[in-house]
Structures are given as structure tokens and as C-alpha cells.
């Protein structure tokens, strides 16, 4: 449904009646429920098939609403909210008990975010409550970056999807813990450098961003332990220059003629195998915007064996790498 005033009202009404609504945000589409309503929040876990120990992000429409869901808002939290909201940053804060218990999955903290998409904020305001909203995909599949992706995953399971156009960022928000040294739990469009610039001191990266956790290890952000963003295909990241990569693909093609490449747009024509593009080699933001959609297309063309040349991991590139590593189940080779 296109987001006119009538649609916003319909979404708000459904949310007030403990129903779920697919909503657009600038990062990815969210599956929203009233965060204060345990019955509604329970439906999110059922619709997505999401493990109950993975907490949800709570979305608000004004900076002042932080204290409605967080029991303490430090000066630093307020400073970051003022600098980056509305926008793709989630702040992990001490929670308030008004939240439905499943939202925080037993943690003492809550992830809070004020999205930059106008339609998302209009829906939150009209509903009059904070909204718990994970990405609106089935658990384990790539996050949805347009309304059609939500429909493909959740058709028949939710009463309304609000179509706010393609998500501009394309990857989920940066999740930042403010306990002790500020630490990025999940990288996103707001980078380590962006945060350090505002905070004025070093920001750490959680170990689970780059490395696969060992058995029994507990990540600071529960979502990082699950296999994510994974298409049916087996994806392998290849760390090589373009010339060696082309040679490598030539030889792989001999072994399996069905090999497909996930490619930067500038390189697609020079590759010896069919290629699906996900942005420019020089522009991590364009890769971020297109990655999840490209992963979904791999399933549509029934790709089984996929290679991707390692993208630059600086700035937003770190978030792209983090999602690609998970899509590839950490398969990476060096030539
Ligand atoms: O951009 C986004 O953040 C999107 C849109 C819809 O806003 N939402 C999203 O939600 O990505 P979800 O549920 O797919 O991912 C939430 C991530 C998970 O990795 C979860 O473990 C982490 O945030 N998280 C949520 N609350 C947390 C908390 N209190 N402490 C640590 N990590 C938390
Ligand atoms: Mg998700």
C-alpha cells in the first residue's frame, strides 16, 4: 500500500490492535509491533521464525522519547542522538520495564533508534507508541530493501506492508553499545570514524564483526551469532586483484559451468562467467544499497556456486564486508 494519510492511519490502527505492519525505513524494511504490547511482540518472533533470545530494536519518532523506553539517558547518548538522528544508528541503553519483556530478550538494555524515513516516523507518531521492529525478512534470509522483498517473505502472515520505496542505505543500522568504551556491535552506514569524530575518543569494534565466534562464545549483540543474509548458493569471497580473479574464475568455470559472480559494476563485463552486479568498486555506499537485493536475486536465478571479489573494508565497506562474510558463512580464499 502506498503511504498516503489514509494508509498511515490504517497502519497506526493495526499497530494499536496488536497487529504487525511492514514499514519502510532508510536502512531496511522493518516488521513493526507496539513495543509495549507483549501479545503483539510475540507475533514478530512467530512471523519471522526468530530465535527468542535475539532482542529487537525499538523505534521512536522524537529524541525526547528516548526516556520513554530507556531508564537512563547519559549525556553521551544524548549527544550521539542529536548528532546522528534521524538516521541509521541504534544506541544500546539501560531499558525501562514498560517494554514487553520479549523485546529485550532477557537483557537489561534496549536498542533504540530514530529512523530517517519520513513514513516510518509518521507511522510511529500516529500509533502513539514506540515500535519494536526487526528487519522484515524471514529469519536467516537477507534483510528486505523494498516492499516486494517483504511481500516475498511474509505474504499471508501480516495484514499490511507500507511501500515507502527502496531503502536508501540498504544495510541495517550501526548498533553501538555505550557500556564502558563505546563499542560497535554491528557496523553500518554510520562508521567508526563518524562516531569517533563526535565522541572525541576511540570507539571499539566487537570481535564478532570480523571473526566467526567459537562454540559457546557469547557475542555482545545476540544477533551476531546467527547465520544471516544467506542465500541458497554457496558464496566464497576471493581476495585477489582483478587479473588473478579472472584467471581463477576461468579455471572454476571448467569445473562447474554454473559458476556465477557477484560483481562490481565496472568489472562485470570482463569476467568469464555470468555476473550479477552490486554497486561500484569505488563506492561502498552503493554496494551497501544493492547487496541484499543481489543476494535475493541469486536465489531467483538458482545460483549454486558464487564468487565475489573482496570489497574494500574501509568506512561503510566494513559493514558490507560484515554482511558478505555472513552470507558466505565466512568462506574466504586468498590468491
Ligand atoms: O536498521 C535496522 O536496525 C533495522 C530497521 C528495521 O530499523 N532493524 C534491524 O533489526 O536490523 P534486527 O532485529 O534485524 O537486528 C537487531 C540487531 C540484532 O543483531 C540484535 O541482536 C541487536 O540488534 N540488538 C538489539 N537489542 C540489543 C541490545 N539490547 N543489546 C545488544 N544488541 C542488541
Ligand atoms: Mg535482521
Amino acid at each position: 500500500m502506498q503511504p498516503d494519510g489514509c494508509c498511515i492511519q490504517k497502519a497506526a490502527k493495526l499497530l494499536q490492535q496488536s497487529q504487525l505492519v511492514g514499514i519502510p525505513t532508510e536502512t531496511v524494511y522493518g516488521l513493526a509491533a507496539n513495543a509495549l504490547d507483549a501479545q503483539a511482540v510475540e507475533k514478530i518472533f512467530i512471523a519471522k521464525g526468530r530465535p527468542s533470545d535475539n532482542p529487537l530494536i525499538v523505534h521512536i519518532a522524537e529524541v525526547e522519547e528516548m526516556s520513554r523506553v530507556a531508564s537512563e539517558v547519559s549525556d553521551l547518548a544524548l549527544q550521539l542522538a542529536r548528532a546522528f538522528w534521524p538516521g541509521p544508528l541504534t544506541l544500546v541503553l539501560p531499558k525501562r520495564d514498560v517494554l514487553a519483556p520479549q523485546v529485550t530478550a532477557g537483557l537489561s538494555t534496549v536498542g533504540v533508534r530514530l529512523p530517517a524515513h519520513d513514513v516510518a516516523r509518521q507511522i510511529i507518531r500516529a500509533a502513539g507508541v514506540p515500535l519494536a521492529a526487526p528487519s522484515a525478512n524471514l529469519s536467516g534470509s537477507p534483510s528486505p530493501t523494498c516492499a516486494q522483498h517483504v511481500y516475498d517473505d511474509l505474504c499471508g502472515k501480516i495484514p499490511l506492508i507500507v511501500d515507502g520505496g527502496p531503502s536508501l542505505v540498504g544495510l541495517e543500522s550501526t548498533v553501538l553499545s555505550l557500556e564502558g568504551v563505546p563499542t560497535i556491535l554491528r557496523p553500518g552506514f554510520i562508521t567508526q570514524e563518524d562516531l569517533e569524530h563526535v565522541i572525541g575518543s576511540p570507539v571499539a569494534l566487537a570481535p564478532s564483526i570480523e571473526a566467526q565466534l567459537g562454540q559457546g562464545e557469547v557475542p555482545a549483540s545476540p544477533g551476531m551469532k546467527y547465520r544471516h543474509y544467506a542465500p541458497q548458493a554457496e558464496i566464497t569471497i576471493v581476495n585477489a586483484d582483478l587479473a588473478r580473479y579472472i584467471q581463477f574464475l576461468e579455471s572454476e568455470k571448467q569445473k562447474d559451468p554454473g559458476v556465477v559472480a557477484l560483481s562490481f559494476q565496472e568489472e562485470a563485463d570482463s569476467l568469464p562467467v555470468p555476473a550479477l552486479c552490486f554497486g561500484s568498486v569505488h563506492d561502498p555506499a552503493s554496494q551497501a544499497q544493492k547487496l541484499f537485493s543481489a543476494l535475493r536475486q541469486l536465489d531467483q536465478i538458482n545460483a549454486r556456486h558464487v564468487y565475489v571479489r573482496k570489497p574494500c573494508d574501509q568506512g561503510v565497506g566494513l559493514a558490507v564486508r560484515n554482511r558478505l562474510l555472513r552470507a558466505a558463512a565466512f568462506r574466504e580464499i586468498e590468491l
Side-chain angles (χ1 to χ4, degrees), residues 28 48 50 54 134-137 141 143-144 172 186 228-229:
V28 300
K48 280 183 61 98
R50 182 178 176 106
N54 194 2
S135 49
N137 52 288
S141 70
S143 294
E172 309 88 341
R186 179 177 70 182
H228 253 97
Y229 321 117

Side-chain angles (χ1 to χ4, degrees), residues 64-326:
E64 295 67 39
E65 285 171 8
M66 281 167 101
S67 51
R68 197 170 167 193
V69 295
S71 60
E72 248 178 78
V73 178
S74 64
D75 291 345
L76 179 59
L78 203 56
Q79 185 190 4
L80 290 164
R82 296 237 158 88
F84 294 107
W85 287 354
L89 176 68
T90 294
L91 297 172
V92 177
L93 305 171
K95 73 165 181 183
R96 280 192 61 169
D97 288 336
V98 286
L99 294 167
Q102 309 96 308
V103 170
T104 53
L107 299 177
S108 58
T109 53
V110 57
V112 186
R113 153 167 143 76
L114 198 164
H117 201 300
D118 262 357
V119 173
R121 289 203 307 280
Q122 285 173 40
I123 293 173
I124 301 167
R125 286 194 195 108
V129 288
L131 298 181
S135 49
N137 52 288
L138 289 175
S139 212
S141 70
S143 294
T145 53
C146 64
Q148 181 67 46
H149 295 163
V150 184
Y151 184 85
D152 292 344
D153 276 17
L154 297 174
C155 170
K157 293 188 170 179
I158 58 175
L160 179 67
I161 300 165
V162 179
D163 187 349
S167 298
L168 291 178
V169 172
L171 296 181
E172 309 88 341
S173 60
T174 305
V175 177
L176 183 71
S177 160
L178 296 177
E179 272 179 298
V181 176
T183 302
I184 295 178
L185 305 181
R186 179 177 70 182
F189 191 79
I190 308 276
T191 64
Q192 188 178 20
E193 300 78 46
D194 296 336
L195 293 164
E196 286 177 341
H197 188 73
V198 169
I199 297 174
S201 61
V203 168
L205 294 176
S208 56
I209 289 173
E210 282 269 305
Q212 196 162 19
L213 289 168
Q215 270 216 322
E217 273 187 85
V218 180
S221 184
M224 296 301 259
K225 73 170 179 261
Y226 294 107
R227 184 169 182 260
H228 253 97
Y229 321 117
Q232 304 301 315
E234 183 186 285
I235 300 184
T236 304
I237 303 169
V238 183
N239 190 359
D241 62 28
L242 181 59
R244 294 185 79 146
Y245 182 52
I246 290 173
Q247 271 177 6
F248 169 78
L249 288 178
E250 288 282 8
S251 74
E252 287 307 298
K253 194 172 122 182
Q254 305 307 317
K255 294 182 221 156
D256 175 4
V259 164
V260 173
L262 190 58
S263 165
F264 306 119
Q265 69 208 24
E266 295 88 347
E267 298 179 1
D269 287 346
S270 56
L271 302 182
V273 300
L276 232 151
C277 293
F278 80 112
S280 163
V281 65
H282 308 296
D283 181 9
S286 73
Q287 296 162 21
Q289 203 200 6
K290 298 195 172 78
L291 177 65
F292 285 151
S293 178
L295 291 179
R296 283 177 178 261
Q297 280 172 39
L298 288 174
D299 279 345
Q300 278 162 11
I301 63 170
N302 237 339
R304 287 281 159 258
H305 215 167
V306 178
Y307 290 103
V308 55
R309 199 160 82 81
K310 183 183 176 188
C312 153
D313 57 6
Q314 299 303 300
V316 180
L318 181 67
V320 174
R321 172 164 173 76
N322 171 263
R323 306 312 193 272
L324 252 186
L325 271 172
R326 277 160 182 76

